[in-house]
């Protein structure tokens, strides 16, 4: 099936006379949170390797794109076709090792396809695009401009540190980043002993930023890694509660010592 039936459906939902009252009442601002939610659900389906759910969640995410594009078209700003045209042009521009400027294929062997060289080229092209967008504006472009504030904080921390690294502001050895994490942990402990709540919040933020930086140096997505940790904790906590229940103990009535004993048993069982 092509995209046309979905575009027609969206137009029908937004029809002022016969459409859905809820859909008609929406604005890009009012439905913006749903785009974030649907993107997270796509990622969740990928992590669970649920192919059917991934298909459905990709559809939900595409619906958000079509929804925003329809409202923009109604306001005379741009159309869905403009969205497609813009991303095609951007991908051609950012892949000069694959496409010529007119979109035709680059002959094999005519340019480098080394992955590291391609990554550096991508970064340079994006930097040139940011500089081009800033021309003519009253404020000069900052070195960290363009990193979305709406990103999850951990993901944004990784992107901020990655951007800073393109200017040479970075460690060369992951061991140095580990030392920085330890330093920040000590500063959290010092704030706990002598600081205010605001001091603690700032120092914990520094610690989390350093951990995100460490993940980047190790080639690990910090959001993915934290989600693995979340799932592990959820799995073990649920198993701990089940183990207590077998012994006739409700989680609500268990002492910390009893829970820790059951937790250790769960970890040991997982190890086997």
């Amino acid at each position: 099936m092509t995209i046309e039936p979905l575009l027609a459906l969206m137009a029908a939902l937004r029809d002022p006379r016969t459409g859905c009252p809820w859909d008609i009442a929406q604005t890009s601002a009012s439905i913006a949170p749903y785009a974030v939610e649907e993107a997270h659900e796509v990622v969740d389906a990928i992590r669970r390797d649920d192919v059917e759910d991934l298909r459905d969640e990709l559809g939900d995410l595409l619906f958000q794109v079509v929804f925003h594009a329809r409202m923009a078209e109604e306001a005379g700003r741009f159309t869905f076709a403009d969205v497609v045209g813009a991303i095609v042009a951007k991908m051609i521009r950012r892949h000069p090792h694959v496409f010529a400027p007119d979109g035709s294929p680059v002959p094999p062997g005519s340019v480098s396809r080394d992955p590291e060289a391609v990554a550096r080229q991508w970064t340079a092209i994006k930097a040139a695009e940011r500089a081009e967008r800033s021309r003519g504006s009253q404020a000069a472009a900052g070195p960290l401009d363009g990193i979305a504030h709406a990103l999850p904080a951990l993901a944004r921390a990784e992107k901020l540190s990655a951007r800073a690294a393109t200017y040479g502001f970075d460690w060369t050895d992951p061991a140095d980043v580990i030392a920085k994490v330890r330093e920040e942990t000590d500063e959290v402990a010092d704030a706990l002993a002598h600081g205010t709540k605001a001091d603690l919040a700032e120092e914990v933020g520094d610690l989390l930023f350093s951990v995100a930086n460490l993940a980047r140096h190790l080639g690990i997505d910090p959001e993915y890694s934290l989600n693995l940790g979340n799932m592990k904790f959820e799995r073990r906590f649920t198993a701990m509660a089940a183990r207590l229940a077998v012994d006739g103990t409700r989680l609500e009535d268990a002492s910390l010592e009893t829970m820790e004993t059951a937790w250790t048993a769960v970890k040991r069982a997982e190890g086997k």
Side-chain angles (χ1 to χ4, degrees):
M1 182 177 286
T2 63
I3 191 70
E4 279 72 21
L6 180 56
L7 296 176
L9 181 147
M10 189 71 250
L13 289 174
R14 290 279 297 178
D15 186 287
R17 294 179 298 104
T18 60
C20 170
W22 186 89
D23 290 286
I24 294 168
Q26 300 313 304
T27 65
S28 277
S30 70
I31 68 167
Y34 298 117
V36 177
E37 179 182 333
E38 298 300 350
H40 281 296
E41 290 182 0
V42 166
V43 174
D44 180 60
I46 292 170
R47 287 177 179 144
R48 290 184 284 105
D49 195 24
D50 189 329
V51 176
E52 283 194 21
D53 201 22
L54 176 59
R55 177 201 62 202
D56 292 345
E57 296 301 344
L58 285 171
D60 290 344
L61 184 58
L62 178 59
F63 184 79
Q64 293 300 309
V65 175
V66 169
F67 205 154
H68 285 281
R70 178 64 197 181
M71 289 186 285
E73 182 175 357
E74 292 168 359
R77 295 173 178 170
F78 58 81
T79 68
F80 182 78
D82 295 327
V83 174
V84 174
I87 188 59
V88 169
K90 180 188 291 184
M91 289 302 106
I92 289 173
R93 186 170 65 248
R94 291 185 180 178
H95 291 82
H97 52 292
V98 179
F99 303 107
D102 63 359
S104 61
V106 170
S110 62
V111 293
S112 171
R113 293 178 185 267
D114 173 66
E116 290 189 5
V118 167
R120 289 193 298 271
Q121 176 180 263
W122 176 278
T123 300
I125 292 171
K126 287 186 68 176
E129 289 172 353
R130 288 195 302 272
E132 182 65 27
R133 284 196 301 270
S134 70
R135 286 179 188 170
S137 76
Q138 293 182 347
L144 300 179
D145 283 358
I147 300 175
H149 288 267
L151 282 170
L154 200 60
R156 191 163 190 270
E158 188 272 338
K159 288 186 177 295
L160 285 168
S161 65
R163 176 75 66 78
T166 65
Y167 296 96
F169 191 74
D170 199 12
W171 287 278
T172 57
D173 189 336
D176 295 331
V177 193
I178 291 174
K180 182 63 176 176
V181 170
R182 289 178 176 141
E183 176 189 326
E184 297 297 349
T185 303
D186 290 341
E187 291 183 8
V188 170
D190 184 65
L192 179 61
H194 308 292
T196 65
K197 196 80 170 181
D199 294 331
L200 268 172
E202 182 176 342
E203 295 301 342
V204 169
D206 290 345
L207 175 59
L208 290 171
F209 188 91
S210 296
V211 170
N213 214 342
L214 175 61
R216 176 179 63 82
H217 272 266
L218 299 177
I220 296 170
D221 177 358
E223 285 286 326
Y224 174 74
S225 188
L226 180 56
N227 269 297
L228 289 180
N230 289 342
M231 289 187 289
K232 180 191 290 185
F233 179 83
E234 184 178 14
R235 181 181 70 245
R236 288 180 175 176
F237 193 86
T238 302
M240 178 192 74
R243 183 177 286 268
L244 291 173
V246 169
D247 294 335
T249 304
R250 295 196 321 153
L251 188 61
E252 296 86 343
D253 301 328
S255 66
L256 178 58
E257 182 180 1
T258 301
M259 285 190 284
E260 286 182 341
T261 299
W263 179 273
T264 301
V266 168
K267 288 180 64 176
R268 190 161 49 241
E270 282 191 359
K272 293 179 181 179

